[in-house]
Amino acid sequence: MDRQYIALAEQGIEERNIIVDKESGKDLERKGYQLLKSGLLRRGDTLIIKSLDRLSRNKGDIKKELEYFKSEGIRLKVLDLPTTMMDLPEGQEWVFEMVNNILIEVLGTIAKQERASIKQRQAEGIAAAKVKGVELGRPKAQKPPNWEEVIGQWKAGEITATKAMELTGTKRTTFYKLLGA
């Protein structure tokens, strides 16, 4: 985040005008991004982002978003794409659009490849951890020391399930999961 703040500040953008979206660019259903599109940006506005992958890492999504901004009359400037930062004389916008379409095609493909590489590295890391015997995910629930005694009372009808959960210190889901184990 810091590198993006610095880059935007260097463009003269005040911190109050920066929308923070910490979610991954793998999809478009990010709260900050959706708020930006639906509630903040208006025709004639300029959206400045650090890099194209802040929109998405999916080439199709990037194209869709660029079309959306174009149709809504919102200018998109990408700091890592100097051609998007240029202001061309009226009537020469086609040059801007042509160059940017080429760059977006190339960079969209790179972003898509980066997403695939991330997923591959993640899968390789998980496989390596499993080989080492590392248990992944949430730790399995353990039966507390008084489990058998309390369950015996519960099965005999001496106490309620709620009381059994209280005595064993388990939550409802964990209690019934341990019963089935």
Side-chain angles (χ1 to χ4, degrees):
M1 296 299 296
D2 290 341
R3 70 180 180 86
Q4 294 177 61
Y5 271 120
I6 291 167
L8 293 170
E10 287 173 354
Q11 295 298 312
I13 301 168
E14 296 177 30
E15 190 171 339
R16 66 184 178 92
N17 292 326
I18 297 174
I19 304 299
V20 177
D21 188 4
K22 293 182 180 180
E23 295 178 59
S24 168
K26 69 180 178 179
D27 64 49
L28 299 172
E29 298 308 313
R30 304 182 311 267
K31 289 179 187 172
Y33 183 64
Q34 290 304 317
L35 170 67
L36 180 72
K37 280 178 60 180
S38 65
L40 298 175
L41 289 174
R42 303 278 185 257
R43 182 169 294 282
D45 285 350
T46 299
L47 172 62
I48 301 175
I49 59 176
K50 170 73 173 116
S51 58
L52 197 58
D53 67 1
R54 293 314 310 141
L55 285 182
S56 177
R57 289 199 173 103
N58 177 301
K59 186 167 64 170
D61 286 347
I62 290 171
K63 285 182 175 183
K64 185 174 90 175
E65 292 306 287
L66 293 173
E67 285 300 317
Y68 168 81
F69 290 127
K70 185 177 176 183
S71 71
E72 294 296 314
I74 298 167
R75 169 100 188 260
L76 179 67
K77 291 185 175 185
V78 183
L79 298 179
D80 290 349
L81 290 177
T83 57
T84 65
M85 303 301 289
M86 297 184 318
D87 290 315
L88 294 171
E90 195 171 319
Q92 292 188 2
E93 294 87 2
W94 65 271
V95 173
F96 172 75
E97 197 167 320
M98 179 187 69
V99 170
N100 287 332
N101 284 341
I102 293 167
L103 285 171
I104 287 160
E105 187 70 29
V106 170
L107 292 171
T109 301
I110 291 169
K112 184 178 179 181
Q113 180 58 42
E114 176 61 18
R115 181 72 190 141
S117 295
I118 289 168
K119 289 176 94 172
Q120 180 182 350
R121 288 191 300 266
Q122 179 185 29
E124 289 169 355
I126 290 170
K130 285 182 178 179
V131 167
K132 288 182 177 179
V134 175
E135 297 226 7
L136 302 172
R138 178 179 283 189
K140 292 186 177 14
Q142 300 293 316
K143 292 180 180 176
N146 65 345
W147 179 260
E148 297 303 327
E149 176 189 344
V150 173
I151 292 305
Q153 292 173 348
W154 175 67
K155 286 182 178 177
E158 297 170 12
I159 59 173
T160 64
T162 303
K163 184 66 175 174
M165 290 175 217
E166 181 184 315
L167 291 171
T168 58
T170 57
K171 296 190 183 214
R172 182 178 182 84
T173 305
T174 304
F175 178 78
Y176 286 107
K177 190 179 290 184
L178 289 173
L179 273 176

